């Protein structure tokens, strides 16, 4: 299998809101208590601020080292918290096969919050976000090794300024 095509797909997913706009296939999913999409809940995240995130991806599984191409940063709101609880089974951290995340059903899968998602390129396993306002954020990083794709998720809080994080 040509490795460049899956990596391009993963990068496109991350740039488009990191699974934010994808439709999901009903599978029973996880119940997470739906919260309706409200653009006003995202308003704080559009401000600039003094905070930054310096990140590193260091994910290995079954003897394989996974690489990343793009990383998404999604504001923590009642809507995204409920959505990520359903998709990832947690609002703190997760590492799940992409197929598992895509198969889970979320409330209001067509809510479009992509305009609030920031993205960064992951080079040599490192990424960064700067100019962030204080608040909670979800880092989403699709990673791949061969044909295997996993989505990493981690919650971070920028209330203390600069945050250093390693995924997973």
């Amino acid at each position: 299998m040509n490795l460049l095509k899956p990596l391009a797909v993963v990068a496109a997913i991350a740039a488009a809101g990191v699974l934010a706009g994808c439709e999901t296939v009903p599978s029973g999913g996880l119940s997470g208590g739906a919260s309706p999409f409200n653009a006003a809940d995202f308003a704080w995240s559009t401000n600039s601020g003094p905070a930054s995130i310096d990140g590193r991806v260091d994910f290995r599984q079954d003897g394989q080292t996974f690489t990343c191409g793009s990383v998404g940063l999604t504001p923590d709101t009642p809507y995204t918290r409920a959505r990520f609880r359903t998709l990832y089974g947690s609002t703190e951290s997760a590492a799940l096969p992409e197929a598992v995340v895509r198969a889970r059903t979320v409330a209001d899968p067509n809510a479009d919050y992509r305009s609030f998602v920031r993205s960064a390129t992951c080079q040599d396993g490192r990424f960064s976000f700067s100019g962030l306002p204080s608040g909670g954020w979800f880092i989403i990083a699709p990673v791949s090794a061969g044909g295997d794709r996993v989505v990493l998720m981690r919650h971070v809080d920028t209330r203390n300024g600069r945050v250093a994080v390693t995924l997973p």
Side-chain angles (χ1 to χ4, degrees):
M1 176 197 288
N2 181 347
L3 184 58
L4 293 179
K5 186 173 181 180
L7 287 176
V9 170
V10 170
I13 289 169
V18 192
L19 302 173
C22 68
E23 292 186 60
T24 55
V25 178
S27 67
L30 299 173
S31 63
S35 184
F37 174 77
N38 181 353
D41 291 340
F42 290 84
W44 67 270
S45 71
T46 63
N47 297 323
S48 61
S52 64
I53 298 171
D54 293 318
R56 186 170 68 93
V57 173
D58 185 19
F59 184 71
R60 293 177 175 85
Q61 186 177 46
D62 299 330
Q64 297 182 59
T65 299
F66 284 66
T67 60
C68 60
S70 186
V71 178
L73 188 65
T74 303
D76 183 347
T77 68
Y79 174 79
T80 56
R81 184 167 281 278
R83 182 180 181 90
F84 289 178
R85 184 178 302 114
T86 299
L87 292 175
Y88 301 101
S90 172
T91 56
E92 292 305 314
S93 66
L96 295 172
E98 181 183 61
V100 169
V101 175
R102 286 182 168 276
R104 293 187 172 161
T105 303
V106 295
D108 197 8
N110 296 317
D112 189 0
Y113 62 91
R114 289 177 294 186
S115 63
F116 302 102
V117 176
R118 299 173 189 226
S119 65
T121 302
C122 185
Q123 294 181 335
D124 298 323
R126 297 192 178 281
F127 61 91
S128 65
F129 295 94
S130 60
L132 301 173
S134 293
W137 301 86
F138 294 101
I139 299 171
I140 308 295
V143 297
S144 63
D148 298 329
R149 292 191 291 198
V150 172
V151 182
L152 306 177
M153 182 276 294
R154 172 78 57 87
H155 184 267
V156 297
D157 190 326
T158 58
R159 282 177 180 73
N160 294 323
R162 184 175 174 269
V163 176
V165 64
T166 300
L167 301 176

